[in-house]
Amino acid sequence: MFLELRNAVRALLRAPLFLFAAVSCIALGVGATAAISSAIDRALLQPLPFRNPDRLVTVYRTTPHFDTGPFAAPNYADLGRMSGQLEELVAVATASALLTLPDDAMRLATLRATGNVFRALGAQPLLGRVFGTEDDAPEAPPVVVVGEELWRERFGADPALIGRAITLDGLSRTVIGILPRDFRLPHGGRVLRAEAWVPMQFSANELGQRRSNFLMAMGRLAPGATVESANAELVRLFEGIVEANPQLRGEQVRVVPLQAESVRSVRTPLLLLFGAVVLVLLIAATNVASLLLARGVQRQRELAIRAALGGGRWTVVRPVLTETAVIMGLGLVFGLVLAWVGVRTIGTLAAERIPQLAGLGIDGRVIAFGVVLAIVVGALCAVVPAWRGAAVDPQDALRGGRGALGSRAQHRALGTLVVVEVALSLMLLIGAGLVLQGFAGLLRNDPGFDPTPILTVRATASAADYPDNTVVPRFLEPALAEIRRIPGVREAAAISLLPYETWGWNFNVRYEGHPADDPTQRPLIENRVVTPEFFEVTGQRLLAGRLLRDSDDLRAGAPAVVVANEALVRRDFPNEDPIGKRFHRTDTIFATIVGVVSDIRNTGPLQEPQPEIYWHFRQSGGWTAFPIVVRVERGDPAAIAGAVRAAIRGVDPKVAVTHVRTMSEVIGASLGRQRFYVTLLGVFAGVAVVLAVSGIYGVMSYAVAQRTRELGIRTALGSTWARTLRLVTMQGAVLVGVGIALGLAGGAAATRLLASMLYGVSPLDAATWAMATAALAAVGVLGTLLPAWRATRVDPLVAMRAE
C-alpha cells in the first residue's frame, strides 16, 4: 500500500497541471457544498435550543388584512386563562430603554416578557435567576435580566452585578440574572433579541384596551395536546371573546408549530442556494471525470503492459484508484478549509441579516458529510473510467492502435461531459442573472426622496426627566434648533419610524359618516409622527392643502390634524377632494386631513408606498426615542455626525445618541438579506462558469493532443492554418451549442422555482436569458480557441515521428 501510494504521488507530481486542476475542482465543489449545508443544518434542521422544542407553538391573531398579527393584553390574558390545550401561553413585546450610567447613557433594545416565558421555554441563565410569574405582578419590585454581551461590555463581566441596581428609563431595577449571548426567541420570520429583559407587568390602561395589539404570543402544548387540537380550542375560545366584545368582529386566531414557523422566511432561499451549490458540485465532478477519463486514455499503454505481464483487472486499475484517492484526499482537505472560510464569511454576512444563521460553524457532522461527499464523487468519477480503461486489448494498445489513442466511445463520453457541464452552468447563470436583475430593480425603486444628503441618528431621552409629556418642547425641539445651527445643515427634523428601517404602526380607519361596522373590514392606514420640517428634509411635494404647523398642538380648542400621502388619496378618495375629510379617533373625537404630500417608501423597498398619515409630535404624546433626520447643503452627511451628536448632548447630556448612519446606509441595510442571497448566488454562478471554461479547455486540449498525427498529416497535405483552426474550433462549438440547448430547456423548468426571489422579474425574462446564453457561448468558444491555435502550430515532421 505504501509503495502504491508513493508511486501515485510521484506520478501526480509529474503532471502538476492535472493535479492542480483536479484538486481545485474537488475542493471548490466539496467546500461550497459543505458551507451551504452548514447553513441549512443550522437554520432548518437543528432543533431550537429549548426544552422539548417540538411542543412549542406560535399563536397569531388574524384579520382579513394579515394572518400573523399580535394580541391585545386582555385578549391574551383571556386565552391564557381559559385554554386547556396549552400548558403555557406566553407573550413578549419589543421595546427600548435608556440605560443611565454614571458617566454615560445608552439606548438598550429590551423585551417585556410575561413571567412564565422562561419556564415555558426551559431557559436557564448564565448567572443568577430569571424572573417568574411572581415578578409579573404590578406590585412586585422592579427587576431586570441582562444579556451576556451587555454584562461583559458595559459591566466588565462582574459577577457582583447580580443584586445591584441599574437605572432604566429613570426607574431603578435590580439585576437578578444574566442570559447567555446566544439566547434568542423566534417568532414568525423574526428572531427576537434583547440586551435586557423586564417583566411585562401590564398597566390598567393596557388591560382595558382590546384593540391595542402589541403582544407576540407563543405557547407550550399540554400533555396529549396537538397543534390541531390547540388551534381548534383557541379558535372556539376567541369566538367567545369576540361575541362578548363586538369591536373585535372579524378577528380570529391560528396556532402553528414554532420550529417550522421560525424558518419559514429563510427556507426557500436557502434551499435554492443549496440547489445552486449542487449544480456547482456536479460541474466540478464533471470536470474531474473529464480529467480522469482523458488521463486514463493517455495511460492505456501503461495499463496494457501491466495486463500483458499477467496482472488481473484489479491489479491493473489499482494505481489509477490510488491516484484518485490521493486527489480526493487533497481535495477534501482543501475543500474543508474552503468550507471553514465560507462558513465564517457566511456567518459574518448573515449575522444581522439572517438571525437564524447565528452561531453558524463547522461541526463533526459537516466534516463527515464532506468526507462522504468526496468519496462518492471520487468513486463516480474514477471507478468506471478506470475499470473500462483496464479492459483495453493489450496487443492493440502496445501496437499503437485505436486503444492507445482512445476509443470512439471514450471520445463521446468526454464530449457528453462537456455538454452536461455547459448545460448546468447555463442553468445556474440564468438563475443568478434573474435574481441579480430583480435585486437591481429593488435598488432602482424610487424612494420618493433623495437619500444622499441625509444623516440619521436616534436620540433617546429618559421619561423620568420629562414628566407630563414635556419631552418634545423641552428636548426635541431645542435639539433640532441646535442642529440647524451647525454649518452646512439645511434642515433637521424627527420622525417616529425611520423610512426603510421599520414599519407596522397602523389602524383600521373609519371616516366620518361611515357605519360602525366590522372594524377589520375597514381600510388600514400606516401612522407616522413627525415634526413639521420633516417634509423639507425629504423634499416631499405639497400637493393639496397645507403642511403641519407648530400651532398644531394640544392647546384647548386646537383640532387634531394630519397630512395624508398620495397613496391614501388614490385608495380612499379617488374622485374627491380629501382636504377637510375627517376620521374617528374615538366615537366622538375626529382628526382632520389638512394636506396631501407626495409618496415616499416609508415601508421599505419591497412594497409600493402604503396609505399613511403624518401626525405632529405635539399632538401625539408618549415618545422618548426620536429618529432624527438631518439634510446637509452639500458633501458627505457623515462629516457632520460628530457635530450633531454634540448638539444633541449639549441640550441634555444624559440623552443616548445611537444608530448614526446616512440615509443611503439605512436603505442599503434594508436590502441586506436580498444582497446576501444575490452575492452567494452570483459567486456560485461565477465559479460554475470558470469550471465550465476550464472543462472545455481541458477536453479540447486533450482532443488536439490525440489528433496530433492527423493534424500533422493534414498540414503536410496542404491544409492551411485557418482551415485547421476552423476544424478544431467547430468541434468545441458543437459541444457548447448542444450544452446551451439543453441548458435552456433545463432553465425553463428550474427558474420557476426562483419566483420568490425575483422581485418583479419574470422567470422567462428574454433579456436575461439572451445575455446569459451569449456570455456562456462566448466563454465556451474562447475555451476552444487556445487549443485550436496550438493545433495550427503542429510541425508535420514532429507529429508523424511522434509515434
Side-chain angles (χ1 to χ4, degrees), residues 34 107 145 180 205 463 697 702 802:
R107 177 180 177 272
V145 175
N205 181 60
Y697 171 78
Y702 160 77

Side-chain angles (χ1 to χ4, degrees), residues 38-46 48 184 186-193 259-267 270 350-360 673 677:
S38 297
I40 289 178
D41 176 65
R42 177 65 181 178
L44 306 184
L45 302 180
Q46 289 188 16
L48 294 171
R184 293 170 172 83
H187 187 272
R190 303 173 61 185
V191 177
L192 307 177
R193 295 175 293 177
Q259 176 87 40
E261 189 70 5
S262 67
V263 299
R264 177 171 52 88
S265 62
V266 299
R267 179 186 290 109
L270 285 178
E352 296 299 327
R353 302 169 178 88
I354 308 178
Q356 290 88 344
L357 295 181
L360 182 63
R673 178 172 293 192
Y677 294 138

Side-chain angles (χ1 to χ4, degrees), residues 141-146 161-166 171-177:
V143 297
V144 61
V145 175
V146 303
L161 180 65
I162 304 296
R164 281 169 40 192
I166 61 175
L171 177 64
S172 178
R173 290 182 176 272
T174 302
V175 178
I176 59 173

Side-chain angles (χ1 to χ4, degrees), residues 689-700:
V689 171
V690 171
L691 289 174
V693 173
S694 62
I696 295 170
Y697 171 78
V699 170
M700 291 308 301

Side-chain angles (χ1 to χ4, degrees), residues 328-660:
M328 294 304 157
L330 292 173
L332 175 62
V333 171
F334 288 111
L336 291 178
V337 172
L338 285 178
W340 180 81
V341 173
V343 164
R344 293 290 297 272
T345 303
I346 291 173
T348 301
L349 291 175
E352 296 299 327
R353 302 169 178 88
I354 308 178
Q356 290 88 344
L357 295 181
L360 182 63
I362 292 281
D363 59 19
R365 291 181 300 163
V366 173
I367 294 175
F369 175 75
V371 172
V372 172
L373 198 60
I375 293 173
V376 171
V377 171
L380 293 176
C381 293
V383 172
V384 174
W387 199 259
R388 291 188 60 184
V392 174
D393 183 1
Q395 295 184 28
D396 185 45
L398 292 173
R399 280 199 306 265
R402 292 178 61 86
L405 298 177
S407 68
R408 183 174 299 175
Q410 288 168 322
H411 285 295
R412 282 200 301 267
L414 282 169
T416 300
L417 292 174
V418 171
V419 168
V420 170
E421 199 165 24
V422 171
L424 294 175
S425 299
L426 182 57
M427 290 171 59
L428 188 50
L429 196 59
I430 289 172
L434 290 171
V435 173
L436 182 59
Q437 184 171 343
F439 181 72
L442 290 180
L443 294 178
R444 289 193 300 267
N445 281 341
D446 182 11
F449 64 99
D450 180 11
T452 307
I454 299 178
L455 178 74
T456 71
V457 301
R458 185 183 298 273
T460 304
S462 171
D465 294 337
Y466 300 94
D468 303 323
N469 291 326
T470 58
V471 66
V472 171
R474 289 180 50 205
F475 163 69
L476 178 61
E477 292 176 348
L480 294 176
E482 289 298 318
I483 293 172
R484 294 185 191 108
R485 295 190 180 97
I486 298 173
V489 170
R490 177 176 172 180
E491 189 53 89
I495 182 172
S496 55
L497 300 171
L498 202 62
Y500 276 77
E501 189 176 66
T502 185
W503 69 284
W505 179 35
N506 50 47
F507 70 100
N508 298 98
V509 65
R510 175 191 168 200
Y511 291 106
E512 184 178 18
H514 289 200
D517 52 3
D518 183 349
T520 60
Q521 298 297 328
R522 302 171 191 164
L524 271 179
I525 289 182
E526 294 294 326
N527 286 268
R528 297 291 184 272
V529 184
V530 299
T531 57
E533 301 81 11
F534 176 77
F535 306 109
E536 185 175 347
V537 172
T538 59
Q540 288 174 264
R541 303 183 310 279
L542 178 64
L543 304 178
R546 68 172 177 87
L547 298 176
L548 299 175
R549 301 168 180 163
D550 286 339
S551 58
D552 298 324
D553 54 21
L554 292 176
R555 288 177 294 112
V561 298
V562 299
V563 170
N565 70 343
E566 284 182 279
L568 183 143
V569 175
R570 284 194 300 269
R571 186 191 67 183
D572 297 344
F573 306 103
N575 300 307
E576 300 178 66
D577 181 6
I579 304 303
K581 298 293 184 182
R582 304 199 304 174
F583 59 87
H584 287 265
R585 298 189 72 179
T586 67
D587 287 340
T588 58
I589 300 176
F590 296 89
T592 305
I593 298 175
V594 297
V596 179
V597 294
S598 59
D599 291 332
I600 64 175
R601 290 180 183 270
N602 263 327
T603 54
L606 300 182
Q607 297 190 38
E608 293 301 314
Q610 301 297 299
E612 63 188 3
I613 54 176
Y614 297 91
W615 302 81
H616 196 306
F617 266 113
R618 290 189 174 188
Q619 292 190 337
S620 179
W623 298 94
T624 56
F626 303 96
I628 294 175
V629 288
V630 183
R631 187 182 188 93
V632 298
E633 294 285 357
R634 64 183 64 85
D636 181 7
I640 64 165
V644 169
R645 187 190 302 270
I648 295 172
R649 298 296 293 272
V651 175
D652 185 346
K654 294 186 291 184
V655 166
V657 182
T658 57
H659 296 74
V660 182

